Each structure stands twice: as structure tokens, then as C-alpha cells.
Amino acid sequence: MTLQEIEHGETEFLEFKRDFPSKDSKLMKTIAAFSNGKGGKIVFGVDDETHEIIGIENDKVFKFMDSLANMISETIYPQVTPRITFETLNDKTIIVAEILSGQNQPYFLKSEGSLDGVYIRVAATTRKAEREKIKELVLWGEGKSYDRLFENHEPANTAA
């Protein structure tokens, strides 16, 4: 993570959080959205409005990282395995959770279910996926694409 990335602000692939969220926060929706898309990073210890590096207290870093991993595991299905690291910028510790594009899409919040708990990333926002997008994610997760479903099918011969 660089200072330039932080200065440019949140994007489709980057989200900032000041500190550890509560379970009902939109953080889990964002993680599911990153897993359903092209992946992304969530940086803890940065103010999302001012881009100021607040930092995470050094004595809380490892507990924070463990708690985050546990919360993700308990909240999202199929299992998401983030890469959670810490870095020092401006003499302050930040935590970076890197979420890769998932191989088993769609990912969803267990509490909301596989139809209502699917989220996607649109620009720098997280949004609930509509039914057609969920169908597309299911096909993608099965290694198919909607466009390719009809590729190798010849029209039926209707001649008598």
C-alpha cells in the first residue's frame, strides 16, 4: 500500500475503514462483493473521507487480524480466505486485507441467504446484486459464461 494509493481515495478495488467494524457493518458485504468481482483491498486505519492515516494501535494489531479472519469465516459462504497483513505508513500501523476474486461465485452473507445476500462492487460502492447478475455469477462459478452457453449448439434440423 502506498501513500499515493491512499491519497487517490476509494475505488472499485480499494476501500478504507477507520477501525474494526461491528458485525452488522457493510464491511462483510464489501468483502463478498470483492470476492464476486475482480478482488480488492480493504485498508484499516485510514479515514475514508479525509484519507488521513489514523493507524491501528500496535498492541491490538494481531488480535484485530485474527478477529477479522474469524468474522469473515463466520459471515460469508462459500469460504473466503483473505490475505491479511500489516504495514507501517507515516509511523502508523495499518492493516490491509486483500480479497481475491473467488473461484466459487456467488459469495453471499450467510445471514441473508444465497438470493438476498449476494453483493457486487460498482465503482467505489457496494450494491446488492440483482437476480440476473446472480445467475451470471452462478454460471461463472461453474466455469461457464452466459454467452458461451449457446456456442456449440447447432439449431435443430426441422426439415421433414
Side-chain angles (χ1 to χ4, degrees):
M1 182 60 36
T2 66
L3 290 172
Q4 290 86 355
E5 287 176 295
I6 292 173
E7 287 170 5
H8 284 111
E10 294 184 338
T11 68
E12 180 181 356
F13 308 103
L14 184 62
E15 179 90 9
F16 300 140
K17 298 290 179 195
R18 284 182 68 95
D19 48 38
F20 197 77
S22 63
K23 262 199 174 175
D24 61 355
S25 82
K26 63 181 190 169
L27 171 64
M28 294 299 120
K29 295 174 184 176
T30 299
I31 292 171
F34 281 155
S35 296
N36 286 326
K38 296 178 183 176
K41 292 181 182 178
I42 302 169
V43 182
F44 297 90
V46 175
D47 185 284
D48 64 333
E49 292 180 15
T50 66
H51 309 161
E52 177 187 356
I53 299 172
I54 308 296
I56 303 295
E57 293 177 41
N58 287 337
D59 61 340
K60 295 182 178 178
V61 168
F62 292 108
K63 182 178 181 191
F64 186 116
M65 292 167 68
D66 288 345
S67 295
L68 179 61
N70 288 337
M71 185 187 293
I72 293 169
S73 182
E74 292 168 3
T75 307
I76 299 173
Y77 185 84
Q79 187 173 29
V80 173
T81 308
R83 181 173 177 259
I84 304 172
T85 58
F86 64 92
E87 300 176 24
T88 303
L89 287 176
N90 291 353
D91 295 323
K92 294 181 182 169
T93 302
I94 59 169
I95 294 174
V96 180
E98 184 177 4
I99 312 300
L100 300 177
S101 176
Q103 299 294 309
N104 300 306
Q105 297 174 3
Y107 291 82
F108 59 90
L109 301 188
K110 292 177 186 178
S111 63
E112 295 182 19
S114 61
L115 292 177
D116 293 324
V118 178
Y119 291 84
I120 57 170
R121 194 79 174 161
V122 179
T125 66
T126 297
R127 306 225 174 123
K128 190 176 284 268
E130 295 179 4
R131 297 288 181 252
E132 290 303 313
K133 182 63 176 177
I134 294 171
K135 288 177 188 174
E136 184 181 312
L137 290 170
V138 168
L139 290 172
W140 179 259
E142 293 173 351
K144 303 171 185 171
S145 77
Y146 186 78
D147 295 338
R148 294 181 64 204
L149 279 180
F150 305 103
E151 260 180 15
N152 297 321
H153 298 283
E154 295 293 325
N157 187 351
T158 56

